[in-house]
Amino acid sequence: MRRRFFALGYVFFILLTVTGLIMAFSFFQRLTNSNIVNTSELIDRAMSDTASIKADPAFVIENIQNDLSASLDNFHFYPEVNFVKKAHRSNCLTCHTPMPHNKNTGTRAFLNMHGGFIACGTCHSDGAKGSYQWYDVERKTLATSLVADVPLMAIQMVKVVAGKPGYVGQNNPKSVAQLTADVINDSKQADALCKTEFRNKLEQALNCDNCHSSKAGLLNWKKLGYTPERADKLATLSIPNVFQKYDEFYIPSF
Amino acid sequence: MKVIMNRNLEKTLIRIILLSMALLLTTGVYADEENCMSCHQYKLFGRMDENGDFHNYFVDESAFQNSVHGRLSCSACHSDVTNIPHLPQPKAVDCTQACHLEDPFSGTPFSHQPVAEKLAASVHGKSDVDSDPFKPGCKGCHLNPQKIHVESEVFAEINETCLKCHQPNGLDYAIQHMEFHSGNNDFWTQKRKMLICANCHTNEDMVGDIFKDDMVASFMDTYHGVGFTFGDERLPVCSDCHDYHSVFVATDVRSTVHPLQVGKTCSGVGCHEGARETFALGSMHNRYEGWQAQTLRWIKYGYFFLITGVIGFMLLHSFLDFIRARAELKKHPLPPREEVRFFLRLNKAERISHILVFVSFTGLALSGSLLWIPPINDVSWIPSWLFASELRQWIHRFFAIVSTVVSVYHIGYALFTARGRRQLWLMVPKLVDATNMVHNIGYLLHLRKEPPKMPYFNYMEKMEYLAFAWGSVVMTATGLIMWLEHLGPVFWVDVARLLHSLEAILAVLAIIVWHFYLVHWRPGKFPMSRTWATGYISEHEVEEEHGLDVDEFTEEYHA
């Protein structure tokens, strides 16, 4: 009985000492203002759970003040959509955004849409003959089909020339060394670099007809893993005709 | 492909097929009649303009259908889109246009116009400059929220009752719609409400230019702000006091925080119900000026000095005493307990009082100390229910009551019992205590050979008692003011809160640095003096610590 009684004393002794030390510690932190998070940091951190982007600051962040305001800018905007993971970025994305097309008001959105699953160099190519296949960017192997719900640009259609897939990732040491800050700021130099070093003729880009054609186009739909019905739909797609042929266009069902 | 057996079967099958189609089509989801999704279903369908702004034309169909606008067709909002491609470029959607969803009771087409008018009249309203980035507009705060279905017993019951007569078609949607608008929707959590305002109101370009101060930072210092950082969902954030659409400057009489309106704002349901008009006349953003700010500053700096001074002195004193006492103990070790005579120091009533005191003190310190912990890097190790629930508050108040009752009993004991009166007289500080202190400190610094002879309560114990008495008075008074906050202007509550929190630090530190040293840490007492439990002290303790009043110790312990 006496021992239990004394134990009570020890318990409260320890409890109170620990509490007091915590209080003293907190007090001196407040006194010296050390280690205390300021409001903006607190809010920044709190905001990080509203969008996954914060986990890996992508270059899109420079253009978007913070994730919440970006998502609010467009009613149907979901931040994950514009976000391309580091591992999936091609060399072109060192300078260009995931939506590089802007000049032609009619086609630009459609062209940008293709960027999600077709590598830049596939359309902006020097005309050499090759076969078109899916390429798993992270694993660096050819894939057999475009799987649904992959992250943006994770699997790209590339032109395979002499067994080599036409894709240059961002961790290519040669490209990183060359693309220094000076070069990026000088658009003429950067342009020249793109045209010569990477041999991508920007002017000689492919047309819609090259693939979306019922005549023999560049793509082997079967090799790309499409079913005959789907291949037929893609080949006879009417959307390109909107810009090229029709005055009036009635929306078909897809 | 087997041929259908007979005509009747064929008819029945067709009917079944048609019926199921009809049922399936009445799920309350608006089909994309114009087939906009044929292009807009693709990700990265968009562009970046010359200014570096992204324009994303992708629409996540399932997300949209699950949103509050899911029943609307695309052209209901994008009313100027008539051809493909959409040239000239469609204008931004005007949220105030009426859509053809009719309000079932009034029959008028629904429109966000009334809310837009409220916003336009407010301080966030349209400016002269088009697309002023500092005026948020509708999309500055609003997303297209997903319908988050919250399990609600009330609505589940309503649903059941209605379904007894009405068919389910469309009823689920109606119930969900009512749920959403009756606040049973999780989207606008306190955190999101804070973030949406803080988004602009902590923006460095705006603070100082557009707003006078960083209101968010000053809010964080208040009790409501501290609660927010701990995740307390009960406490208000920006729009709970300032309204969300009808925000006005505080000097505008239409503002919810204007002196004539603020009483109503603070005494709303779930908040300080029953608070008087005068209660709210303070500053929720700690923006006191003049004598009020001066008072708070004096208290703060006064206590900082007091704490560092007093505790500093106690630390030094204890440290010196520790060294000296250890040396003495080595020279003259303590005799074994069996050979020592013991004398009464605390009688039963006193012992019980002391136990109640240290239990309630610890309870108070523990429950109160949680509020002292500043938002350092990661506060998540404190579960929010500790701060956020009423549990902590009521634990604190319970122990406060215990402590106050014991204090009152103690005062009665000291005044109305013979022993109490004698002890009270012995506790009064006298000249001998001052000389004792000087003499003892000299002894600790090796300036004197012998320690002083000290009375029944030596100067250290008197300091202890006085500090505790002073602390109790301050804590009880300020605690009571805070408990009864509804009665007065919130400025006094702020004063009480400051005093209370700083005195708490002083009290707890004094206990662990002074009292705990004397009874726990001191060589010879370590790990714990047993007097609080047994009531007796040893002969050598009497001689060492109370040599002047040896005759006061009359009751000896006999086994």
Side-chain angles (χ1 to χ4, degrees), chain A residues 2 5-10 12-17 19-31 34-37 39-47 49-50 59-60 63-66 68-69 71-78 81-82 84 97-102 105-106 108-117 149-150 152-153 230 239 242-243 247 249 251-254, chain B residues 34-35 38-39 42-60 63-64 69 78 84-85 87 89 139-144 146 191-192 194-196 198-199 202-204 214 216-217 220-221 226 228-229 303-304 307-308 355 358-359 361-362 365-366 369 371-378 502 504-505 508-509 511-512 516 520-521 527-528 530 532-534:
Chain A
R2 270 164 76 93
F5 214 49
F6 294 146
L8 182 78
Y10 286 122
F12 279 94
F13 166 50
I14 292 168
L15 264 177
L16 197 50
T17 309
T19 309
L21 289 173
I22 293 173
M23 284 174 89
F25 181 63
S26 311
F27 174 70
F28 281 109
Q29 283 215 318
R30 280 192 188 272
L31 195 65
S34 71
N35 215 23
I36 292 177
V37 169
T39 326
S40 314
E41 272 180 58
L42 199 70
I43 287 172
D44 279 346
R45 219 183 294 125
M47 276 178 160
D49 71 1
T50 60
F59 56 83
V60 290
N63 294 311
I64 302 173
Q65 268 153 6
N66 61 65
L68 204 58
S69 73
S71 65
L72 294 179
D73 217 30
N74 182 316
F75 214 54
H76 301 288
F77 185 108
Y78 303 100
V81 173
N82 265 357
V84 184
T97 71
M99 294 188 184
H101 305 98
N102 194 39
T105 55
R108 58 190 172 187
F110 290 99
L111 295 172
N112 286 329
M113 178 261 284
H114 283 80
F117 49 89
D149 286 336
V150 288
L152 271 180
M153 301 191 180
R230 183 71 185 149
I239 289 182
V242 171
F243 310 105
D247 281 340
F249 185 73
I251 308 173
S253 62
F254 290 112
Chain B
E34 304 128 323
N35 212 352
S38 58
C39 296
Y42 298 107
K43 292 185 183 175
L44 277 192
F45 187 65
R47 66 183 184 102
M48 182 169 139
D49 67 18
E50 299 79 16
N51 303 323
D53 295 323
F54 276 103
H55 298 260
N56 191 15
Y57 307 140
F58 163 66
V59 177
D60 186 332
F64 180 74
H69 293 104
H78 298 280
I84 294 191
L87 295 166
Q89 267 199 303
K139 288 199 296 181
C141 302
H142 286 287
L143 264 178
N144 187 13
Q146 302 289 291
K191 198 185 207 175
R192 283 204 179 112
M194 163 63 82
L195 295 180
I196 202 74
N199 193 28
T202 53
N203 188 318
E204 280 145 15
D214 184 356
V216 180
M220 290 303 189
D221 276 337
V226 174
F228 168 75
T229 56
Y303 260 93
F304 281 6
I307 290 169
T308 38
I355 291 172
F358 74 61
V359 167
F361 190 85
T362 309
L366 269 175
S369 67
L371 295 179
W372 255 102
I373 300 167
I376 52 181
N377 288 319
D378 188 359
L502 290 168
I505 295 278
V508 174
L509 286 181
I511 292 285
I512 68 174
F516 275 12
H520 284 281
W521 300 110
M528 181 176 73
R530 294 171 174 208
W532 69 272
T534 62

Side-chain angles (χ1 to χ4, degrees), chain B residues 417-431:
Chain B
T417 64
R419 183 176 159 95
R421 275 194 292 270
R422 176 80 194 143
Q423 302 229 314
L424 186 63
W425 167 246
L426 290 166
M427 193 54 97
V428 169
K430 302 182 181 68
L431 190 62

Side-chain angles (χ1 to χ4, degrees), chain A residues 109-231:
Chain A
F110 290 99
L111 295 172
N112 286 329
M113 178 261 284
H114 283 80
F117 49 89
I118 297 183
C120 308
T122 309
C123 296
H124 295 283
S125 157
D126 59 1
K129 281 217 165 19
S131 70
Y132 296 86
Q133 293 174 61
W134 297 114
Y135 179 69
D136 187 328
V137 161
E138 231 177 312
R139 291 181 190 82
K140 298 197 176 67
T141 56
L142 292 175
T144 49
S145 64
L146 179 63
V147 181
D149 286 336
V150 288
L152 271 180
M153 301 191 180
I155 295 185
Q156 301 269 288
M157 191 195 290
V158 296
K159 185 163 79 170
V160 181
V161 178
K164 211 167 150 258
Y167 181 88
V168 183
Q170 258 197 357
N171 48 9
N172 181 324
K174 193 178 183 189
S175 60
V176 168
Q178 280 176 316
L179 288 171
T180 60
D182 306 320
V183 174
I184 290 172
N185 281 330
D186 182 343
S187 57
K188 264 203 184 134
Q189 267 207 325
D191 218 27
L193 198 67
C194 284
K195 286 182 179 151
T196 58
E197 182 60 38
F198 305 114
R199 283 192 249 112
N200 288 334
K201 309 276 187 216
L202 296 173
E203 296 90 12
Q204 292 177 27
L206 290 179
N207 242 333
C208 316
D209 289 349
N210 293 121
C211 300
H212 291 291
S213 171
S214 43
K215 301 182 210 130
L218 286 171
L219 299 181
N220 183 337
W221 302 107
K222 196 170 175 188
K223 198 173 183 187
L224 287 166
Y226 288 107
T227 61
E229 294 82 21
R230 183 71 185 149

